[in-house]
Amino acid sequence: MIDLSPIKIGDHTFLSVSVVLPKTNLLVVTSDKGYIMCGALDVALLNEKLKDRKVIAGRAVGVKTIEQLLEAPLESVTYEAEALGIRKGMIGKDALLKMV
């Protein structure tokens, strides 16, 4: 099952994407500029092999719902996210507000 839902944080609307798979869920909340995602996100790949794409993203691990993803501290972020002031340990929803 795939669920797409708008999420309001402050004055901004983001899109949440939840994909239910066997034994796991893929969770993403995105803006037009970047996104946060569950532990399935490979930040090292984005920073190294796909660096030229300049992806703005953060990864939170151990989350099972979109609500948990919004409240979880980011375990890692891309170089481009760092350039916007998004840091490891920042709460997901705070990182998203820097992506607007």
Side-chain angles (χ1 to χ4, degrees):
M1 181 171 92
I2 299 172
D3 179 65
L4 302 169
S5 300
I7 291 182
K8 193 97 163 142
I9 302 173
D11 294 332
H12 304 284
T13 302
F14 300 88
L15 178 64
S16 74
V17 182
S18 178
V19 181
V20 177
L21 299 169
K23 301 183 184 180
T24 193
N25 294 331
L26 295 179
L27 305 169
V28 181
V29 180
T30 186
S31 73
D32 290 339
K33 198 182 261 190
Y35 58 92
I36 60 172
M37 189 172 169
C38 64
L41 179 64
D42 189 343
V43 171
L45 175 75
L46 296 176
N47 280 339
E48 296 163 17
K49 297 193 181 218
L50 303 177
K51 186 176 182 177
D52 59 317
R53 296 186 188 186
K54 299 183 179 188
V55 175
I56 298 168
R59 173 182 184 217
V61 295
V63 296
K64 296 180 181 176
T65 66
I66 292 293
E67 294 75 21
Q68 289 176 354
L69 178 60
L70 293 172
E71 297 298 329
L74 298 179
E75 178 268 342
S76 55
V77 300
T78 62
Y79 298 142
E80 293 297 319
E82 286 179 342
L84 288 179
I86 299 166
R87 302 280 179 253
K88 180 179 171 180
M90 181 178 278
I91 300 301
K93 65 182 172 187
D94 294 338
L96 286 166
L97 289 172
K98 291 190 171 282
M99 297 180 193
V100 293

